[in-house]
């Protein structure tokens, strides 16, 4: 089976699982046990195994994997669910820790996006992303450093640590926009809801983003990683589900205006085309109508090349044990993205590389 066909099957099952609907191209099936093994590996590399598993459930019985293959999928899905339940509990503990000190973290990115899914526990979790105001960030950093130690500061100014077995990251930036001339404008679209986020049956007492801020963050986050080491299908599913869930809440013209002001108009046209064409989002749920569809081949190649955040890029894997090889790999990957960046976000790319370089020099 060619890589192209493998990815086509993966996307077909992804769409079925993400939207809980019949598989839209049964002509691709049945496939052999060896081929199912490859689809399983791809789904893990893209961090969408739980969603693809749901997609398999929508196949005709005669086309589903063998019992041996299904046991492997079920074991993986069980691990995903247990991981998400652990994160639920960790969030409660973090809320208690910060709340006692009068700190007000805002929940960002993945875990917040999971609440947009039909089955949140099947969305593969990464780390916990928290944002603090400039006034509270240093206090939060000192708190966790004194409480648990092992806190690492990153080149972009964030910090990372492991709490209760879960990786947690504190961010200083609300949005992944590096253009310094847009900082003041970004502050005008940040609006924090004071309600609580309900995670399953667990009440998580963390502040969350407004719908507008949520989609701007996700959009810019996908762009940031597309210009760098890579992006996977999980983050595209997150944005598609968020658009779907918030379609009645978002002011489409406002979203369009914000994207344009931030220099994301051309990029968003391509991104939205991909979401509709390959992720299966009904164009009705986009915040605004695509004025014209555009080619997505370059973007698709970035997704296929390295999987979730580019972690499965062969060159990145081979460089994992060498500090300088990792740095060289980062440089080469950014250079590979140069043509893509010039086409969709040239100034953002320059600012991103500049910020990372300065961050490395400060370490």
């Amino acid at each position: 089976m060619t890589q192209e066909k493998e990815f086509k099957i993966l996307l077909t099952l992804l769409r079925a699982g993400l939207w809980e609907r019949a598989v839209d191209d049964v002509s691709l099936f049945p496939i052999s046990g060896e081929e199912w093994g490859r689809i399983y590996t791809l789904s893990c590399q893209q961090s969408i195994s739980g969603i693809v598993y749901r997609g398999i459930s929508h196949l005709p019985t005669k086309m589903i994997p063998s019992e041996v293959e299904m046991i492997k999928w079920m074991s993986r899905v069980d691990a995903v669910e247990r991981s998400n339940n652990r994160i639920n509990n960790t969030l409660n503990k973090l809320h208690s820790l910060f709340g006692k000190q009068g700190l007000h973290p805002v929940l960002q990115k993945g875990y917040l996006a999971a609440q947009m899914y039909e089955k949140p526990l099947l969305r593969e979790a990464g780390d916990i992303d928290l944002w603090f105001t400039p006034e509270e960030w240093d206090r939060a950093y000192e708190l966790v450093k004194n409480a648990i130690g092992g806190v690492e500061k990153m080149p972009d100014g964030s910090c990372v640590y492991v709490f209760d077995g879960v990786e947690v990251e504190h961010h200083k930036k609300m949005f992944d926009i590096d253009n310094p001339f847009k900082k003041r404008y970004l502050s005008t679209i940040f609006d924090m809801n004071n309600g609580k986020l309900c995670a399953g049956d667990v009440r998580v007492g963390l502040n969350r983003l407004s719908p507008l801020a949520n989609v701007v963050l996700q959009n810019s986050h996908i762009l940031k990683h597309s210009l760098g080491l890579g992006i996977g299908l999980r983050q595209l599913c997150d944005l598609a589900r968020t658009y779907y869930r918030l379609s009645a809440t978002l002011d489409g013209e406002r979203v369009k205006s914000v994207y344009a002001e931030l220099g994301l108009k051309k990029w968003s046209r391509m991104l939205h085309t991909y979401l509709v064409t390959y992720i299966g989002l009904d164009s009705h749920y986009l915040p605004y109508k695509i004025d014209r569809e555009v080619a997505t081949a370059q973007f698709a190649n970035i997704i296929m090349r390295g999987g979730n955040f580019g972690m499965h890029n062969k060159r990145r894997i081979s460089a994992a044990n060498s500090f300088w090889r990792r740095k060289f790999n980062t440089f080469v990957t950014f250079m590979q993205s140069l043509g893509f960046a010039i086409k969709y976000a040239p100034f953002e790319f320059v600012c991103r590389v500049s910020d990372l370089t300065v961050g490395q020099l400060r370490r």
Side-chain angles (χ1 to χ4, degrees):
M1 186 190 296
T2 64
Q3 184 184 28
E4 184 178 346
K5 185 177 179 182
E6 288 174 350
F7 218 75
K8 188 174 183 179
I9 291 171
L10 183 74
L11 287 168
T12 299
L13 294 170
L14 169 67
R15 289 191 294 269
L18 189 65
W19 307 109
E20 293 293 347
R21 67 192 190 198
V23 172
D24 53 35
D25 190 357
V26 294
S27 69
L28 295 169
F29 304 91
I31 61 177
S32 68
E34 181 180 347
E35 290 167 336
W36 272 118
R38 181 61 185 150
I39 298 302
Y40 171 80
T41 299
L42 280 175
S43 74
C44 294
Q45 290 175 349
Q46 295 285 339
S47 294
I48 53 170
S49 58
I51 303 169
V52 174
Y53 174 78
R54 285 299 306 162
I56 292 172
S57 72
H58 292 283
L59 278 171
T61 304
K62 63 182 180 180
M63 296 181 180
I64 65 174
S66 68
E67 184 177 343
V68 172
E69 289 293 332
M70 286 302 289
I71 288 174
K72 183 167 61 176
W73 283 95
M74 292 168 69
S75 176
R76 171 79 177 190
V77 168
D78 178 65
V80 169
E81 290 180 327
R82 284 188 282 108
S83 174
N84 280 316
N85 281 320
R86 182 171 68 249
I87 289 176
N88 283 350
N89 293 329
T90 300
L91 280 168
N92 277 305
K93 292 177 181 179
L94 284 170
H95 173 240
S96 177
L97 175 68
F98 293 128
K100 288 177 181 177
Q101 300 300 318
L103 298 172
H104 308 87
V106 178
L107 191 60
Q108 290 185 312
K109 301 178 185 177
Y111 190 82
L112 183 59
Q115 310 311 308
M116 307 295 173
Y117 285 69
E118 296 293 335
K119 298 182 184 297
L121 289 180
L122 292 185
R123 190 263 184 197
E124 291 194 34
D127 56 6
I128 294 173
D129 293 283
L130 301 175
W131 176 86
F132 292 85
T133 64
E135 296 77 19
E136 292 191 0
W137 197 93
D138 288 336
R139 288 176 55 203
Y141 172 77
E142 291 298 327
L143 174 62
V144 295
K145 187 177 72 170
N146 294 330
I148 63 173
V151 183
E152 180 183 4
K153 285 193 173 181
M154 307 302 288
D156 65 357
S158 63
C159 72
V160 180
Y161 58 94
V162 175
F163 181 83
D164 198 30
V166 177
E167 187 172 287
V168 183
E169 187 167 0
H170 291 186
H171 296 277
K172 289 185 174 181
K173 291 172 56 179
M174 173 55 69
F175 304 103
D176 288 319
I177 296 292
D178 291 301
N179 185 341
F181 301 110
K182 299 300 179 182
K183 286 184 178 180
R184 180 172 296 180
Y185 179 75
L186 286 169
S187 68
T188 67
I189 65 173
F190 171 55
D191 174 28
M192 187 171 67
N193 291 339
N194 291 319
K196 306 301 181 184
L197 177 67
C198 188
D201 295 326
V202 182
R203 179 64 61 177
V204 179
L206 292 170
N207 293 302
R208 55 185 172 134
L209 297 174
S210 69
L212 175 62
N214 193 350
V215 297
V216 172
L217 173 58
Q218 289 193 46
N219 184 314
S220 61
H221 185 63
I222 294 170
L223 174 62
K224 166 190 170 182
H225 288 285
S226 299
L227 297 179
L229 294 175
I231 194 69
L233 290 170
R234 180 179 62 175
Q235 286 67 40
L236 301 180
C237 292
D238 288 349
L239 183 57
R241 288 296 313 185
T242 301
Y243 278 157
Y244 172 75
R245 286 290 192 191
L246 299 180
S247 62
T249 306
L250 285 169
D251 179 342
E253 287 303 312
R254 173 71 168 140
V255 175
K256 186 177 182 179
S257 173
V258 170
Y259 285 175
E261 178 65 29
L262 294 175
L264 303 179
K265 183 178 179 180
K266 188 174 182 180
W267 151 257
S268 295
R269 181 188 295 125
M270 188 280 299
L271 177 60
H272 290 174
T273 299
Y274 193 93
L275 293 181
V276 172
T277 306
Y278 296 102
I279 305 300
L281 175 67
D282 188 322
S283 61
H284 171 76
Y285 295 105
L286 288 172
Y288 55 90
K289 186 178 180 180
I290 302 175
D291 51 9
R292 60 184 175 87
E293 293 188 356
V294 294
T296 59
Q298 282 182 292
F299 187 49
N301 185 57
I302 291 171
I303 295 167
M304 293 173 63
R305 187 169 63 208
N308 187 45
F309 293 139
M311 290 188 291
H312 300 281
N313 184 300
K314 292 180 181 179
R315 190 177 58 250
R316 185 175 182 180
I317 293 172
S318 67
N321 296 321
S322 168
F323 175 82
W324 290 111
R325 288 183 69 186
R326 288 199 306 272
K327 298 303 175 187
F328 181 71
N329 172 62
T330 299
F331 171 77
V332 171
T333 304
F334 269 87
M335 289 304 99
Q336 278 186 328
S337 302
L338 185 59
F340 181 81
I342 290 173
K343 187 174 183 178
Y344 291 111
F347 191 66
E348 192 60 34
F349 179 76
V350 171
C351 293
R352 175 70 181 156
V353 172
S354 176
D355 282 0
L356 284 175
T357 302
V358 172
Q360 290 289 349
L361 293 174
R362 287 176 177 171
R363 294 189 74 182

